Amino acid sequence: MKKSLRVFAPASIANLGCGFDIMGLALDDVGDILDIVATEGNGLSITNATDVPLPEDPEMNVITPVVRKFMDMTGNSANIEITVRQKIYPGSGIGSSAASSAAAAYGLNELFGCPLSEEEVVICAMEGENLASGGYHADNAAPAVMGGIVMIRGYEPLDLVKLPVPGNFYCTVVHPAIVVTTKEAREIMPKEIPMHTAVSQWGNVGGLVAGLYSGNVGLIGRSMKDAVAEPYRKKFIPDFDKLRKKILKCGAVAMNISGSGPSLFALSDNQETAVKAQKIFKEHFDFLGIDSEVYVEKVSNKGAKLLPM
């Protein structure tokens, strides 16, 4: 037995402001590519064919627990060889660990004849997220597998809802050269929040879902506000509030921290505005003497997929 395939899983943006740990969206083009080969036996090897540094110890690579979970869930056994061909830089804030985890889970499921449902593939991918951040969350993993905008209605059991994607929405994403680990970004947050803060967040989540279903751009923009994590996490990003004012003034629908940061994203309902936001992001961090990468991506309905070898 020898089977092989190449799989892509997209970058993603988690939280979308108000949806802490329960919302995320997939991006076009940017993502991870894995080659997966299965032969007779029982083992796992991971080779990094990119310039992006990855853990040399396979126990620290997010792919490893994903493979084990898949084999446990399906009862399969094989010698798996995985080569990482393309990799999002870790700590970028656009779902680096989720992209590899989703690609591994989706690719294995395809390789073995799709024994798992789409939701079960997400459960596999969440094993990698747990290794990376110390928690089982699907706000990056679900859109990386499924594409589009995904809401996690509940975790026990996992209940995923795919939301409508506005046809002409773009994300401008900036990744400044600031190091913020997921664990660090989680530790800075309070363990309890006041009732009025929770009520504000619930209202925004409801407004965002309603805005996506109705196509109401104004409602989407008003709702993409984070009362829970942003007040603490924005301290990692110099002049965050000033930057947001500039981004909104240029016509963007919203600006938020992408996942745990340090990346930021601006959501726009046309490409022209997204490009304006790209320039503002670049100028902001250049003025502060901070290197940054900025790119414009369309919000994608496509999740993980097979590629020609």
Side-chain angles (χ1 to χ4, degrees), residues 197-256:
T197 301
V199 170
S200 174
Q201 196 83 339
W202 295 333
N204 284 330
V205 170
L208 179 54
V209 172
L212 290 170
Y213 271 102
S214 64
N216 187 328
V217 175
L219 180 56
I220 291 170
R222 295 197 304 276
S223 302
M224 290 183 74
K225 296 177 181 176
D226 179 13
V228 173
E230 183 187 289
Y232 302 92
R233 291 179 169 177
K234 72 180 184 180
K235 298 171 186 176
F236 292 118
I237 301 161
D239 292 335
F240 176 90
D241 291 326
K242 290 181 180 178
L243 176 57
R244 172 181 270 160
K245 287 181 181 178
K246 294 177 185 176
I247 290 293
L248 296 181
K249 189 176 180 179
C250 87
V253 173
M255 188 198 92
N256 293 104

Side-chain angles (χ1 to χ4, degrees), residues 52-247:
V52 177
L54 296 176
E56 294 184 6
D57 180 358
E59 294 300 318
M60 300 304 294
N61 192 306
V62 297
I63 291 172
T64 298
V66 174
V67 174
R68 288 177 178 158
K69 182 68 172 180
F70 177 84
M71 296 303 179
D72 288 344
M73 290 178 72
T74 62
N76 284 299
S77 178
N79 185 61
I80 303 295
E81 300 174 25
I82 295 180
T83 302
V84 183
R85 296 291 180 192
Q86 179 175 297
K87 184 79 198 86
I88 303 166
Y89 207 92
S92 63
I94 53 172
S96 172
S97 59
S100 285
S101 300
Y106 182 89
L108 286 169
N109 197 47
E110 292 290 324
L111 205 60
F112 285 89
C114 297
L116 300 183
S117 68
E118 190 173 53
E119 199 163 274
E120 289 171 328
V121 172
V122 174
I123 290 172
C124 277
M126 287 168 63
E127 291 292 330
E129 290 288 77
N130 181 51
L131 176 61
S133 63
Y136 288 93
H137 52 93
D139 48 349
N140 285 113
V145 170
M146 300 167 63
I149 301 174
V150 181
M151 180 179 72
I152 299 93
R153 202 249 8 121
Y155 279 93
E156 297 178 1
L158 187 65
D159 188 359
L160 304 175
V161 181
K162 197 164 182 181
L163 303 174
V165 178
N168 208 35
F169 265 29
Y170 289 81
C171 275
T172 308
V173 184
V174 59
H175 178 213
I178 302 169
V179 178
V180 181
T181 66
T182 302
K183 289 182 180 180
E184 183 181 17
R186 284 182 173 267
E187 288 171 357
I188 198 175
M189 291 173 55
K191 304 304 179 187
E192 297 180 355
I193 59 173
M195 179 62 76
H196 71 270
T197 301
V199 170
S200 174
Q201 196 83 339
W202 295 333
N204 284 330
V205 170
L208 179 54
V209 172
L212 290 170
Y213 271 102
S214 64
N216 187 328
V217 175
L219 180 56
I220 291 170
R222 295 197 304 276
S223 302
M224 290 183 74
K225 296 177 181 176
D226 179 13
V228 173
E230 183 187 289
Y232 302 92
R233 291 179 169 177
K234 72 180 184 180
K235 298 171 186 176
F236 292 118
I237 301 161
D239 292 335
F240 176 90
D241 291 326
K242 290 181 180 178
L243 176 57
R244 172 181 270 160
K245 287 181 181 178
K246 294 177 185 176
I247 290 293

